[in-house]
Amino acid sequence: MAHVQSDTTPTVPSPAESTPDSGLDLRNIQGDILSGMPKKTETFYFFQITDAPTFRQHFRAFVPLVKTVAQALKDRDDIDKHKKKDEGHGNKPHVIPIVGVNVSFSHFGFQKLGIDDTKLIDPAFLIGQRRDAQDLGDKGTGDGDSFVPDWDDGFKQDIHGVFIVSGDSHPTVDKKIQDIEKLFKIGTNAASYKKIVSIRGDVRPGDQSAHEQ
């Protein structure tokens, strides 16, 4: 999957809006690319575009939801300040409400939108994971071009993109997913994509939290 940036991302106060050595505009890079979005839970929401022109229109309204590196850094700064404040009062730090959204597209998604991604010069990206599954050692049947990986049915379809939604809790993330579906008119005749599958991951419980790697 390839992440996308937008030149319409809203400007927000941030402890670091650009890196002094590279000059990267952290307000125009998605949060999970460099800093990582702070989270207790994360949902990967895979989709297939069904109406490209309408999807482009809906996507313009979606862009302001995308969390940038600058915003993710500010979230981390807010968490740190909140933690120190609680500890200063002798209290156990509690989780503050935070949510972040990023989006990535596959080669098939770019093709559907009429975007030329060949300049990426990444053979693995251009052929897709399904074509590469046998070389990666995935179980399946057949061989070569006829190889069919033993995947869940949803992942055997052409996946055009994935919304990455992270936050402090399941309700926070679920509410943001509902907001996204509303923008893309999901559940109506005007919907511009269809959901393929979603996968949720949580931090480890208790004293294993923050030791996921």
Side-chain angles (χ1 to χ4, degrees):
M1 291 288 181
H3 282 272
V4 296
Q5 295 95 47
S6 168
D7 57 7
T8 58
T9 304
T11 301
V12 297
S14 169
E17 292 190 344
S18 64
T19 55
D21 52 344
S22 68
L24 292 175
D25 184 357
L26 303 186
R27 299 165 299 180
N28 196 37
I29 301 174
Q30 294 195 84
D32 245 10
I33 293 178
L34 294 181
S35 63
M37 296 184 292
K39 63 187 76 79
K40 290 293 185 180
T41 182
E42 187 170 42
T43 293
F44 297 88
Y45 181 113
F46 297 90
F47 61 88
Q48 186 179 92
I49 300 167
T50 54
D51 184 334
T54 303
F55 182 90
R56 284 177 173 272
Q57 295 175 9
H58 293 165
F59 195 78
R60 294 189 183 97
F62 163 80
V63 166
L65 297 186
V66 174
K67 178 149 290 186
T68 67
V69 175
Q71 291 170 315
L73 288 173
K74 184 178 184 301
D75 283 347
R76 293 186 177 280
D77 188 53
D78 289 344
I79 291 170
D80 186 57
K81 290 177 180 177
H82 178 77
K83 182 178 179 180
K84 289 178 179 177
K85 181 179 178 180
D86 274 355
E87 291 176 341
H89 289 94
N91 301 320
K92 181 180 179 180
H94 63 277
V95 178
I96 60 175
I98 282 180
V99 66
V101 178
N102 277 187
V103 61
S104 293
F105 291 94
S106 69
H107 170 63
F108 306 111
F110 282 142
Q111 280 187 318
K112 184 73 174 182
L113 294 170
I115 297 173
D116 181 9
D117 60 359
T118 55
K119 61 183 178 181
L120 294 176
I121 316 177
D122 185 342
F125 174 74
L126 295 176
I127 66 173
Q129 288 183 312
R130 187 169 53 198
R131 286 280 301 278
D132 207 27
Q134 186 176 19
D135 292 337
L136 292 174
D138 287 7
K139 294 180 180 180
T141 58
D143 187 56
D145 290 341
S146 63
F147 179 75
V148 179
D150 185 18
W151 292 353
D152 291 345
D153 288 339
F155 291 108
K156 294 178 182 178
Q157 303 181 50
D158 283 345
I159 292 175
H160 294 161
V162 56
F163 296 120
I164 305 161
V165 188
S166 64
D168 63 286
S169 66
H170 291 172
T172 300
V173 168
D174 291 344
K175 173 62 170 62
K176 187 58 64 175
I177 290 174
Q178 291 172 9
D179 292 341
I180 293 171
E181 290 182 333
K182 184 176 180 179
L183 288 173
F184 287 89
K185 312 296 183 184
I186 302 306
T188 76
N189 293 331
S192 58
Y193 77 75
K194 70 174 183 178
K195 176 182 176 181
I196 300 297
V197 66
S198 65
I199 298 176
R200 170 177 280 162
D202 299 326
V203 298
R204 289 181 176 181
D207 60 4
Q208 293 299 309
S209 181
H211 296 280
E212 284 72 36
Q213 293 185 343

